[in-house]
């Protein structure tokens, strides 16, 4: 079955957007999703991704991904899948570029630490929700409205790209069609993100010396086949080149599996338009079973050989402890906080402040306040 244009009937038609919170009628040579994409690229939160950790802390190597280069890789894969399948490439790209802007410093340990301290005050931290607050409130750069004034569908995608909103959801998310799935373009983001980080983390971890190529082959049968293939084709190449030749084939396999699995799911669900995608009880973007298994084994390998190794665990524990200390200090000294949003609780203001920081900015604030930590 050819993938070219296979899902064109499911493309979200940009002209049927539910629009922006503050109506705009600026003439433009760009459509609404192209403008949203550009607003995201021009935001401060997007630029700050450069100094946020993806997996490996900066300073070990100049070659590792940070959250910005990871985001660009996700956007590249999202555009490819959208274009091949006949979906809206600009919509998918805008969502990919925004998909991690709510991440706090220090990657997932930062998120867990903020969630842990907030939960003691009956609240929680979730990076997709924080991303929504960034684009709605904190990115104040236009004269006529707060935030980026993005279309409904891009805001919905920010909230729902990686999780569903259960029916009956209340509060600030109630407007984002709880109980309905997001359009296919938004559903794509979660799995292209998975392809991007599994393959990139394998690359960075190999570069950092965490494992040999043969060990990857022993854990992931498809990788073993690919290693065999590239070693046969390029016997004289060094291991690093073999790894890259395996990587590009792995990405190709996973992307094909993603597109094929999605086409099959949409066909068997008999969905013929966006409304049917929204109303379907399951997400329709999925891997073929073979690609899903490869993705699962890659993730398992990375957990066993990379994410839980002492050097990364220690780094994560230290940053989580630092976040907790700074949070507690600011709770006792709210005068040290920048002005927050009216109506927000103090714990939420502190959490938003810390979440907005890059890793180096966090370290500077921490170092400047740490002398006072014991004197409270
Ligand atoms: Mg990501």
């Amino acid at each position: 079955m050819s993938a070219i244009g296979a899902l064109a009937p499911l493309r979200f038609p940009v002209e049927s957007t539910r629009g922006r919170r503050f109506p705009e009628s600026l003439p433009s040579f760009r459509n609404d999703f192209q403008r949203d994409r550009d607003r995201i690229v021009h935001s401060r939160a997007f630029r700050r991704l450069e100094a946020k950790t993806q997996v490996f802390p900066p300073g070990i190597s100049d070659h590792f991904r940070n959250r910005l280069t990871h985001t660009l890789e996700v956007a590249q894969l999202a555009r490819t899948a959208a274009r091949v399948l006949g979906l809206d490439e600009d919509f998918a790209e805008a969502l990919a570029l925004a998909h991690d802007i709510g991440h706090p410093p220090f990657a997932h340990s930062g998120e867990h630490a903020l969630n842990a301290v907030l939960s003691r005050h009956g609240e929680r931290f979730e990076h997709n929700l924080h991303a929504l607050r960034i684009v709605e409130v904190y990115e104040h750069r236009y004269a006529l409205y707060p935030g980026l004034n993005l279309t409904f569908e891009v805001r919905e995608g920010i909230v729902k790209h990686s999780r569903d909103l259960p029916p009956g959801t209340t509060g600030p998310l109630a407007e984002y069609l709880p109980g309905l799935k997001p359009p296919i373009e938004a559903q794509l983001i979660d799995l292209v993100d998975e392809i991007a980080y599994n393959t990139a983390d394998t690359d960075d971890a190999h570069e950092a010396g965490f494992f040999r190529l043969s060990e990857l082959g022993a854990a992931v049968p498809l990788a073993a086949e690919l290693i065999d293939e590239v070693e046969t084709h390029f016997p004289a190449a060094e291991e690093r080149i073999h790894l890259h030749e395996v990587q590009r084939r792995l990405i190709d396999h996973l992307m094909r599996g993603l597109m094929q699995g999605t086409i099959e799911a949409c066909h068997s669900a008999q969905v013929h338009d966006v409304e049917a995608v929204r109303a379907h009880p399951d997400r329709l973007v999925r891997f073929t079973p073979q690609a899903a298994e490869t993705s699962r084994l890659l993730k398992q390998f990375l957990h066993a050989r990379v994410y839980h190794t002492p050097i990364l665990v220690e780094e994560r524990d230290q940053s989580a402890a630092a976040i907790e200390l700074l949070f507690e200090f600011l709770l006792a000294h709210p005068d040290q906080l920048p002005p927050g949003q009216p109506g927000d609780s103090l714990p939420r203001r502190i959490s938003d402040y810390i979440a907005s920081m890059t890793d180096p900015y966090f370290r500077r604030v921490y170092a400047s306040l740490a002398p006072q930590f014991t004197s409270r």
Side-chain angles (χ1 to χ4, degrees), residues 54 67 70-71 74 96 99-100 103 108 127 161 189 193-194 196-197:
Q54 177 65 16
R67 208 158 276 280
H70 159 72
T71 294
V74 174
H99 91 282
D100 270 352
H103 262 290
H108 289 287
H127 75 90
H161 73 86
I189 303 304
D193 186 27
E194 182 171 324
Y197 65 67

Side-chain angles (χ1 to χ4, degrees), residues 123-139:
E123 304 200 41
R124 65 192 189 94
F125 182 83
E126 212 265 310
H127 75 90
N128 290 336
L129 285 180
H130 185 61
L132 188 64
R133 290 165 68 80
I134 287 174
V135 301
E136 288 267 80
V137 178
Y138 290 117
E139 284 292 329

Side-chain angles (χ1 to χ4, degrees), residues 14-167:
V14 62
E15 59 281 2
S16 59
T17 171
R18 285 172 161 80
R20 304 177 187 278
R21 215 178 269 297
F22 303 91
E24 296 180 40
S25 56
L26 298 174
S28 177
F29 44 87
R30 296 165 297 161
N31 70 31
D32 276 314
F33 290 152
Q34 291 165 345
R35 288 167 78 177
D36 281 4
R37 173 199 61 204
D38 298 349
R39 288 176 189 197
I40 292 160
V41 168
H42 287 281
S43 70
R44 288 170 149 193
F46 183 76
R47 293 196 292 280
R48 290 198 301 264
L49 294 172
E50 183 189 9
K52 295 202 181 200
T53 295
Q54 177 65 16
V55 172
F56 297 94
I60 299 181
S61 163
D62 288 346
H63 304 302
F64 293 156
R65 274 83 176 167
N66 58 46
R67 208 158 276 280
L68 179 61
T69 64
H70 159 72
T71 294
L72 296 176
E73 293 183 357
V74 174
Q76 178 185 338
L77 297 177
R79 281 202 323 267
T80 298
R83 188 186 317 145
V84 170
L85 295 172
L87 303 170
D88 191 305
E89 188 177 336
D90 304 310
F91 184 21
E93 183 180 18
L95 291 173
L97 292 171
H99 91 282
D100 270 352
I101 59 167
H103 262 290
F106 311 118
H108 289 287
S109 58
E111 187 170 10
H112 291 152
L114 280 179
N115 196 40
V117 287
L118 271 186
S119 65
R120 287 180 214 148
H121 302 276
E123 304 200 41
R124 65 192 189 94
F125 182 83
E126 212 265 310
H127 75 90
N128 290 336
L129 285 180
H130 185 61
L132 188 64
R133 290 165 68 80
I134 287 174
V135 301
E136 288 267 80
V137 178
Y138 290 117
E139 284 292 329
H140 186 44
R141 53 187 295 120
Y142 301 115
L144 293 177
Y145 42 75
L148 301 179
N149 199 27
L150 301 175
T151 57
F152 174 88
E153 289 74 21
V154 169
R155 284 179 282 129
E156 181 201 17
I158 286 173
V159 175
K160 285 159 79 171
H161 73 86
S162 57
R163 63 172 195 145
D164 295 327
L165 281 189

